[in-house]
Amino acid sequence: IEFRVGTDALAVTVSAENDFVTDVTVEELAAIFSTAETWADVRAEWPAEPIQRFIPGTDSGTFDYFVEEVFEEDEEPILSGNPQLSEDDNVLVQGITGSPYAIGFFGYAYYLENADSLTVLNIEGVEPTAETTEDGSYPLARPLFIYSDAGIMAEKPQVGAFISFYLSNVNEEIVEVGYFPASVSALNAAKQALMDAMGGM
């Protein structure tokens, strides 16, 4: 059983010293993270400086999600762009802040922790906010879920009790860790799914 508990956004970021890019299309993102060698290869008015790419490691769900959305699940283009990969988001942040010509992506929480030294880019003219991630207009938003099973909840009532506690308190906590809260309707649907599972035993 799936319980919606919030929304994450992938933040595509550049150094705060970057003064030329504020908004990109998904098509431009694909070029930036693959075949483009310099920023001018993407837009003529951008500097003819090499693009430095910093991305999560290939074992990361963040990497998988980006590849799915931007490259239609084909890893080859992004890996052919000679990116610096790291499982440690702090290493990515250091790389991006180290040059005005660097770019990278990670969960929105890591952008928030480093907002003084990073600029988050709008995608297709849309800024990542609670509203745009919830309504899906921000292209790199993904819902967050927890999962359980009616059989387990029947066998161990404390599991259902924990999920009930979780759903009742998640919106107060989720912003603290850098995610966006689920809408009231999404949370209510999750609570209804829990009640149906508990009642159907």
Side-chain angles (χ1 to χ4, degrees):
I1 301 168
E2 185 176 82
F3 303 99
R4 172 81 182 273
V5 295
T7 309
D8 187 19
L10 259 60
V12 180
T13 67
V14 294
S15 164
E17 295 176 5
N18 180 311
D19 60 2
F20 58 91
V21 56
T22 56
D23 189 298
V24 290
T25 66
V26 172
E27 192 176 337
E28 286 171 335
L29 269 186
I32 288 167
F33 283 99
S34 62
T35 54
E37 292 181 10
T38 72
W39 286 98
D41 293 337
V42 183
R43 283 193 204 175
E45 67 266 26
W46 287 348
E49 295 284 347
I51 300 169
Q52 298 167 36
R53 304 169 179 94
F54 294 88
I55 67 173
T58 55
D59 290 338
S60 151
T62 304
F63 173 87
D64 290 342
Y65 179 71
F66 187 87
V67 167
E68 187 180 307
E69 293 299 313
V70 177
F71 293 102
E72 297 177 350
E73 301 188 25
D74 182 6
E75 288 183 9
E76 193 176 328
I78 193 170
L79 295 175
S80 69
N82 196 28
Q84 299 288 313
L85 291 94
S86 177
E87 299 293 344
D88 184 342
D89 288 323
N90 292 313
V91 170
L92 300 179
V93 169
Q94 286 169 11
I96 297 163
T97 56
S99 167
Y101 307 112
I103 189 169
F105 61 87
F106 30 70
Y108 191 81
Y110 287 95
Y111 159 68
L112 279 184
E113 284 180 20
N114 299 278
D116 54 339
S117 57
L118 294 171
T119 299
V120 67
L121 302 184
N122 293 352
I123 312 285
E124 302 286 352
V126 181
E127 182 184 350
T129 64
E131 292 74 27
T132 62
T133 55
E134 181 64 33
D135 68 18
S137 59
Y138 180 71
L140 297 179
R142 55 183 175 175
L144 300 172
F145 300 98
I146 60 171
Y147 296 88
S148 191
D149 175 271
I152 291 170
M153 288 188 278
E155 195 179 313
K156 299 182 176 178
Q158 64 268 35
V159 173
F162 174 73
I163 294 170
S164 177
F165 172 82
Y166 194 112
L167 295 176
S168 297
N169 292 280
V170 65
N171 270 5
E172 294 167 25
E173 303 298 330
I174 201 159
V175 177
E176 295 293 317
V177 292
Y179 295 122
F180 296 103
S183 66
V184 172
S185 61
L187 269 183
N188 284 344
K191 290 174 183 174
Q192 187 62 50
L194 177 64
M195 283 169 55
D196 292 348
M198 303 286 277
M201 298 175 212

